[in-house]
Amino acid sequence: MLKARTVRKPTNVEEKSSFDEHTFGLEYPHRLNFYDRPPAFDVTLEEFETAALDRLRVLAEIESSAVRGRSWEETKSVTGEHCNKYLPLHSSTAKYIDRDAERRKDILGHFVLRLAFSRSDELRQRFLKAELTLFKVRYDDSDMGEREAFSESRNFNWVKVDDEEKKAIRSQLFSVYSGPKATREALFKQETYLKVRWTRVPDLVSHRKVFLKGGWAYVPSREQSSIIFQEFESHLEQALLLTAKSLPRLDEDTRLDPILTNLSKGFLAGVASGWNDDQTDKDHITADMIDSLSKHFPLCMQHLHFKLTKDRHLPHFGRLQYGLFLKVLGLPIDEAIAFWRRSFSKITDDEFNKKYKYNIRHSYGLEGRKANYSALSCSQILIPSNKDSNWVCPYKHFAHENLSTALAARYQLAGTDLSEVMATVKAGHPHVACTRVFEITHAAQGIKKGEGIGGGESVTHPNQYAAVSIELEKASSGTKTEAMVVD
Amino acid sequence: MDATAMPTFYRRIYPYKSIFLWLNHEHNPTKLFTHREFAFTLPGDVYLRYQSFANAEEFKKQLCSMTPTRFEIGPVYSGRPRDRKTLRPSAFVPVQRELVFDIDMTDYDNIRTCCSGAAICKRCWGFIAAAVKVLDKAIRDQFGYQHLLWVYSGRRGIHLWISDQEAVDLTDDQRKAIVNYLTVVATSKEASKHLNVRSNGALPSLLSNALLDLGTIFDSLILKDQDLFAGEQAWLALLELLPQSMRGTLEAKWSSGEKNSSAKWDDVKGVINGLKSQSPAAFNTALAAMEDIVISYTYPRLDAEVSKHRNHLLKAPFCVHPGTGRVCVPVDPSEVDMFDPAAVPTIGQLLQELDTIREGSSELPQEHHNDWEKTSLKPYVDMLDKHCLRLVEEARHARRGAPGKYLTVLFGRPY
């Protein structure tokens, strides 16, 4: 058993232990949560890990929604589905469900990931963004009563605008309503306004949705979610910084560190639900196998492979993108050196050792700062963190004619399939196009349209594409051999 | 310019103390000054970034020894800029910076008739003056900031530095928000000519409040002074902005004869008034179009990129503009109409003034540190000093009053 953290017992548990209609007799009276209090209950290591993994699945899907440019409605429905699957959280009025247990898991998962993701600035930013979206989705899902109860439960530091003041600036507030005069009157009369410093609602200010006077923003109650979201964001941002500062003390617990490290690694690689680039249980491949395996590669890697074979050379970013992909695919360092040496057939041993060997070893974490680099995920390829990075996603970076030639050459795509993929590309959805290509090229193994790389998931990582493709081939050849035996 | 001019300028004229106090908000050096980036442009276009100084004396010493042709002021970082290389990247990030705005005459090129490009005359200053008045009022009234310093950029633009504590602390996102709020006229070439700022047909309060001022400016600046719609191309552009139904009548009136802009604008008003009785809906649309025209010709045109990020560098006040030799002096927004860019002292003029003093006085030529007092730069330095006084006063107040409940309500940070 493990005590997640010793903190003083939340006071309101004692105060509100008897049933009252606002809390529904719950230990955690609100479905929405700002995560002010760390979990103060005992959990097993397994619970610790599952709660975090399940939440990570949801957050990863949110990230991939953002990368794929899904609309808010789409993001909401996809996230909602994932939440129901991994992280159900029912409203306080729900019956026959252990709402407190759900909420405990929600809180536990959040705090475990907070520990895992406070270690670097990049992780903090991404975690913050994903958590904010999750909060927004849940807020959107909640009914009015629940929202009100929640906003009453916290001090958001807003000032209610009294009738006198409302009247005084009536003409300024009035202009945002539309429709006939009578309806506008009625709407205005009903509306209550909250006053906050403008800096707390930058998005409303940016779109001129609020009236400003002396630095105060007059926020109509229907926009108050903006204040709540902003508060959630700045609150969590502060909390993450605090956690980051206290992290060194935590490292003493050897049981937690590996779990936390794995969690943050998985998130960094942009791994969506379930896919894991942990190579320990994977078959190693050899330099000779790469050529025959290349039919399983997504177009980016096929392109790099083709280019390497043709030019007997790849530029720096190409080497890195392809090299890391091969590493994660299971190519050990000595095989990698053999592979690259053989591929760069135009240069001498001496030049190879001088110019390239170090970089290959570096990417395996054997030189320099000895970092174990993970392969680039689609999001890292599409949105490089450094603008000088020159990663290639054919669906995004190729000219349309070249892409369509490449698709025909590498995957023998033609006719309606080809035009469908090209249409998706032109609409600016490289992920969707890549996923569709996977579906088309694996139709023989029974992959249908919309199924993606399994369970409707889209491609989010070149290695995931290749791994699933290889799995599928194994599975289908497996059934074939079995069938033969039966024969 | 003679080679000894810059060293003399920095040694004898540049008002270090005032600039120090303006950036620092109090007399003892704080992070606002010591962690501040200065960037020097040295002769031969050598650009030297990440300079920082412990105090005003060091600041002066460095300027005198390096004599940059100009220098810029950047953000306050979480570490000393000159120690940058010894800090972890995460320990060296911009944290504070005055909120700055830049208005440049180039953005007005398509609507000024008197000059173009780098040239500027007293008449085009009218555009800048109009922008200053409108923006100054909007920021004071709507955002509640009080410590606004307008600085002439030395040639054809003006900078605004806002030093209120809240403004200095703004994040980049908040800066983007205020810029988006204040940006009405898109200055890029691809942007549509039509304004698109109305929601449900109504102007945002930002504009409905400013409309009266903009109308006056339109009348005196666009119609009378610039006589913008005299040329055929210009009045055709004006027609584009009016409802289709009105264009025919007006084109017929204007294509023959030489009407001045005021007369043409009267024609527009006449046609619109005619609509009043015929069709109230068309009248309202036309009226809105007319308001939009006034706004798009007179509303301040901001160089948005300058304001959006804390780590943008902006030329320091009292620098010498390398092209014109004029000093970047503060401008009083209430008297911006009287401001004449051609009357701003140049470095040559200032040095000459120093020489005359020396000749006139019987004392031995002595090096004084605040020699600007004896030159025509004095009123401008006095203006900055007065500005600093208010800043120092407020900083003192903030330190004395404990950041208790009031600030919590103000900034919503209960921690």
Side-chain angles (χ1 to χ4, degrees):
Chain A
M1 291 291 262
L2 167 88
K3 196 127 196 157
R5 226 183 206 191
T6 39
V7 286
R8 86 198 136 74
K9 232 181 171 185
T11 43
N12 75 337
V13 177
E14 288 132 51
E15 282 163 19
K16 296 192 176 169
S17 55
S18 64
F19 186 90
D20 81 61
E21 57 174 322
H22 292 297
T23 64
F24 302 90
L26 291 168
E27 186 187 351
Y28 301 99
H30 302 291
R31 177 175 178 258
L32 297 168
N33 200 327
F34 262 45
Y35 308 103
D36 298 304
R37 297 196 313 260
F41 39 84
D42 292 342
V43 291
T44 62
L45 263 180
E46 198 191 335
E47 280 172 317
F48 183 88
E49 197 170 359
T50 355
L53 271 178
D54 284 345
R55 192 182 193 85
L56 187 58
R57 294 212 165 97
V58 175
L59 296 187
E61 191 56 41
I62 289 176
E63 272 219 318
S64 95
S65 291
V67 173
R68 270 185 267 170
R70 282 189 184 135
S71 72
W72 170 242
E73 287 306 319
E74 282 170 324
T75 307
K76 213 175 105 182
S77 84
V78 171
T79 312
E81 269 168 41
H82 265 71
C83 277
N84 286 339
K85 204 152 127 202
Y86 298 110
L87 208 62
L89 196 63
H90 287 87
S91 86
S92 295
T93 48
K95 290 197 173 93
Y96 315 116
I97 284 168
D98 189 350
R99 290 149 294 173
D100 267 338
E102 286 182 354
R103 285 167 199 193
R104 262 197 295 274
K105 185 180 171 191
D106 177 56
I107 293 168
L108 180 61
H110 171 90
F111 276 96
V112 176
L113 292 190
R114 207 189 259 191
L115 286 178
F117 293 147
S118 55
R119 11 195 89 192
S120 78
D121 198 40
E122 188 200 347
L123 280 170
R124 280 197 295 273
Q125 283 310 317
R126 289 173 56 179
F127 178 65
L128 184 63
K129 237 170 119 185
E131 277 283 339
L132 179 64
T133 311
L134 179 61
F135 183 83
K136 283 183 182 170
V137 168
R138 287 175 171 172
Y139 185 90
D140 244 36
D141 272 354
S142 305
D143 58 40
M144 279 310 275
E146 220 167 352
R147 287 186 204 175
E148 247 164 54
F150 177 69
S151 64
E152 291 294 318
S153 76
R154 272 188 78 84
N155 180 9
F156 285 100
N157 290 302
W158 51 47
V159 183
K160 285 218 164 94
V161 176
D162 58 32
D163 283 342
E164 208 169 305
E165 195 177 357
K166 187 176 160 188
K167 227 163 145 188
I169 48 172
R170 182 178 176 284
S171 61
Q172 309 280 5
L173 298 174
F174 200 63
S175 65
V176 300
Y177 299 100
S178 61
K181 200 158 182 249
T183 11
R184 288 190 305 188
E185 283 293 354
L187 279 172
F188 178 69
K189 239 183 190 159
Q190 279 168 19
E191 194 74 86
T192 53
Y193 285 87
L194 304 165
K195 207 158 69 160
V196 293
R197 283 309 288 182
W198 79 267
T199 47
R200 293 183 55 196
V201 284
D203 52 331
L204 296 180
V205 171
S206 180
H207 296 103
R208 298 196 199 101
K209 278 188 179 160
V210 282
F211 169 63
L212 290 179
K213 194 180 153 203
W216 294 93
Y218 289 74
V219 182
S221 54
R222 73 199 129 83
E223 303 277 13
Q224 77 176 25
S225 56
S226 275
I227 308 176
I228 295 177
F229 296 157
Q230 189 273 343
E231 187 69 22
F232 181 88
E233 192 180 5
S234 66
H235 189 73
L236 184 55
E237 197 173 9
Q238 297 272 337
L240 281 170
L241 280 175
L242 277 182
T243 315
K245 278 185 194 146
S246 53
L247 262 188
R249 266 172 283 159
L250 185 89
D251 281 349
E252 289 161 18
D253 195 328
T254 48
R255 293 169 302 170
L256 299 189
D257 200 44
I259 300 180
L260 296 178
T261 311
N262 267 338
L263 286 171
S264 54
K265 255 201 218 154
F267 197 54
L268 259 190
V271 181
S273 2
W275 194 79
N276 190 346
D277 76 343
D278 187 6
Q279 301 150 57
T280 41
D281 56 343
K282 215 181 282 169
D283 301 337
H284 281 179
I285 58 171
T286 62
D288 306 322
M289 290 159 69
I290 293 174
D291 209 42
S292 60
L293 277 175
S294 69
K295 66 171 191 279
H296 294 293
F297 296 176
L299 190 57
C300 47
M301 299 305 166
Q302 290 223 10
H303 160 72
L304 290 169
H305 186 76
F306 171 75
K307 212 168 153 217
L308 177 63
T309 331
K310 196 182 94 198
D311 301 348
R312 317 308 299 165
H313 187 261
L314 272 184
H316 173 74
F317 284 103
R319 290 200 302 273
L320 202 54
Q321 187 180 350
Y322 192 38
L324 288 172
F325 168 81
L326 292 176
K327 175 178 110 173
V328 173
L329 198 66
L331 191 70
I333 176 68
D334 36 342
E335 290 293 324
I337 291 176
F339 170 75
W340 288 104
R341 178 65 204 98
R342 199 180 311 158
S343 305
F344 286 12
S345 57
K346 284 196 291 200
I347 58 171
T348 62
D349 273 342
D350 199 32
E351 196 184 353
F352 179 81
N353 288 341
K354 253 193 224 151
K355 276 172 83 176
Y356 303 107
K357 202 168 161 186
Y358 177 89
N359 277 345
I360 298 167
R361 289 176 51 79
H362 187 269
S363 69
Y364 273 74
L366 298 168
E367 301 282 356
R369 56 190 275 226
K370 308 215 166 164
N372 191 10
Y373 298 97
S374 40
L376 282 111
S377 69
C378 297
S379 51
Q380 286 165 303
I381 294 169
L382 292 169
I383 308 165
S385 50
N386 177 348
K387 68 172 169 14
D388 300 325
S389 308
N390 214 348
W391 315 120
V392 172
C393 171
Y395 300 105
K396 182 169 180 194
H397 303 115
F398 275 25
H400 293 160
E401 315 81 76
N402 295 352
L403 175 60
S404 114
T405 321
L407 283 169
R410 308 271 158 272
Y411 297 113
Q412 287 79 47
L413 243 52
T416 50
D417 286 343
L418 184 59
S419 49
E420 186 192 342
V421 171
M422 289 310 295
T424 324
V425 169
K426 280 169 196 159
H429 303 298
H431 276 279
V432 184
C434 187
T435 310
R436 184 69 194 120
V437 168
F438 182 91
E439 289 164 359
I440 295 168
T441 50
H442 293 79
Q445 280 110 345
I447 299 291
K448 293 188 198 67
K449 186 174 178 177
E451 214 169 295
I453 51 161
E457 255 175 52
S458 308
V459 177
T460 55
H461 199 294
N463 279 102
Q464 166 205 34
Y465 184 112
V468 177
S469 177
I470 293 170
E471 276 306 308
L472 278 172
E473 192 187 56
K474 269 190 203 157
S476 67
S477 67
T479 44
K480 259 181 223 152
T481 29
E482 269 166 42
M484 264 151 58
V485 172
V486 173
D487 262 4
Chain B
M1 205 183 298
D2 113 58
T4 59
M6 287 316 283
T8 316
F9 176 77
Y10 284 123
R11 209 174 61 241
R12 300 185 58 189
I13 301 177
Y14 195 83
Y16 300 92
K17 285 224 171 91
S18 314
I19 293 290
F20 167 80
L21 206 55
W22 169 62
L23 292 173
N24 192 58
H25 298 198
E26 54 183 288
H27 293 280
N28 296 324
T30 66
K31 283 184 183 177
L32 275 173
F33 187 79
T34 59
H35 289 29
R36 174 84 68 165
E37 175 183 357
F38 293 85
F40 290 1
T41 309
L42 303 179
D45 265 346
V46 178
Y47 199 50
L48 213 57
R49 284 198 62 183
Y50 302 114
Q51 307 292 305
S52 68
F53 314 105
N55 50 45
E57 289 69 43
E58 209 183 294
F59 176 43
K60 173 169 187 181
K61 221 172 108 197
Q62 196 71 358
L63 274 179
C64 289
S65 78
M66 301 185 100
T67 58
T69 48
R70 51 184 270 193
F71 67 96
E72 290 166 315
I73 298 176
V76 178
Y77 287 89
S78 51
R80 270 178 240 276
R82 61 175 169 199
D83 299 341
R84 180 180 55 106
K85 285 191 178 139
T86 63
L87 297 167
R88 275 177 297 117
S90 62
F92 187 72
V93 287
V95 283
Q96 287 176 311
R97 162 62 191 265
E98 286 79 13
L99 175 61
V100 293
F101 290 94
D102 179 9
I103 302 170
D104 196 292
M105 209 62 235
T106 24
D107 289 324
Y108 289 86
D109 270 353
N110 61 344
I111 57 166
R112 60 174 173 157
T113 54
C114 46
C115 319
S116 72
I120 184 168
C121 67
K122 183 80 185 72
R123 283 175 61 208
C124 16
W125 185 258
F127 285 103
I128 301 287
V132 168
K133 277 186 282 186
V134 173
L135 209 59
D136 194 76
K137 188 166 187 301
I139 288 173
R140 285 179 204 268
D141 289 355
Q142 294 171 51
F143 290 91
Y145 297 139
Q146 294 161 21
H147 302 288
L148 280 66
L149 183 72
W150 291 94
V151 182
Y152 173 53
S153 75
R155 192 198 288 264
R156 52 181 170 160
I158 198 159
H159 299 157
L160 168 61
W161 300 72
I162 306 177
S163 302
D164 292 66
Q165 193 59 47
E166 186 187 83
V168 171
D169 288 333
L170 291 180
T171 64
D172 286 358
D173 279 341
Q174 289 163 338
R175 282 166 209 257
K176 274 176 210 155
I178 188 169
V179 170
N180 286 343
Y181 181 88
L182 291 170
T183 302
V184 172
V185 183
T187 45
S188 71
K189 287 211 170 65
E190 306 86 61
S192 126
K193 289 195 188 84
H194 291 268
L195 272 194
N196 191 11
V197 291
R198 289 168 188 268
S199 68
N200 303 320
L203 283 175
S205 53
L206 165 72
L207 291 169
S208 53
N209 289 339
L211 200 57
L212 204 66
D213 290 338
L214 295 178
T216 323
I217 294 164
F218 186 79
D219 198 53
S220 62
L221 181 67
I222 302 291
L223 298 180
K224 300 219 171 73
D225 190 276
Q226 296 278 333
D227 196 3
L228 190 65
F229 306 124
E232 179 165 2
Q233 218 178 349
W235 66 253
L236 281 173
L238 174 65
L239 282 186
E240 285 282 301
L241 300 173
L242 287 162
Q244 183 81 50
S245 56
M246 295 172 56
R247 293 182 198 163
T249 334
L250 290 170
E251 199 173 348
K253 280 190 183 183
W254 298 348
S255 42
S256 60
E258 304 259 306
K259 277 190 175 178
N260 67 21
S261 299
S262 297
K264 285 191 177 115
W265 191 244
D266 285 339
D267 287 342
V268 173
K269 284 190 202 157
V271 174
I272 292 179
N273 272 328
L275 288 170
K276 203 171 187 175
S277 51
Q278 294 167 16
S279 146
F283 173 71
N284 284 333
T285 323
L287 210 59
M290 218 169 99
E291 285 175 357
D292 285 0
I293 290 169
V294 170
I295 293 165
S296 52
Y297 280 100
T298 55
Y299 190 84
R301 302 182 172 193
L302 303 173
D303 184 347
E305 290 315 308
V306 176
S307 315
K308 284 180 178 171
H309 300 283
R310 274 169 289 192
N311 60 1
H312 198 102
L313 296 155
L314 196 64
K315 189 153 46 125
F318 291 103
C319 273
V320 176
H321 190 287
T324 62
R326 296 198 189 282
V327 180
C328 306
V329 293
V331 178
D332 180 350
S334 64
E335 287 177 13
V336 64
D337 282 324
M338 319 292 202
F339 186 85
D340 180 3
V344 169
T346 63
I347 179 171
Q349 178 193 339
L350 291 173
L351 295 182
Q352 217 165 22
E353 285 171 14
L354 283 186
D355 284 346
T356 3
I357 304 163
R358 198 182 295 174
E359 282 160 18
S361 73
S362 54
E363 293 167 38
L364 284 169
Q366 217 176 353
E367 290 281 309
H368 284 275
H369 288 299
N370 286 332
D371 280 348
W372 53 261
E373 285 184 348
K374 295 159 199 151
T375 68
S376 48
L377 205 60
K378 185 172 191 302
Y380 299 105
V381 181
D382 285 345
M383 204 192 299
L384 176 60
D385 282 343
K386 245 190 254 164
H387 180 79
C388 293
L389 221 59
R390 289 193 293 267
L391 268 176
V392 171
E393 188 59 27
E394 179 161 300
R396 188 180 297 144
H397 264 291
R399 278 201 307 279
R400 210 174 279 161
K405 206 175 168 203
Y406 175 68
L407 280 182
T408 314
V409 172
L410 215 58
F411 303 112
R413 290 269 164 90
Y415 352 95

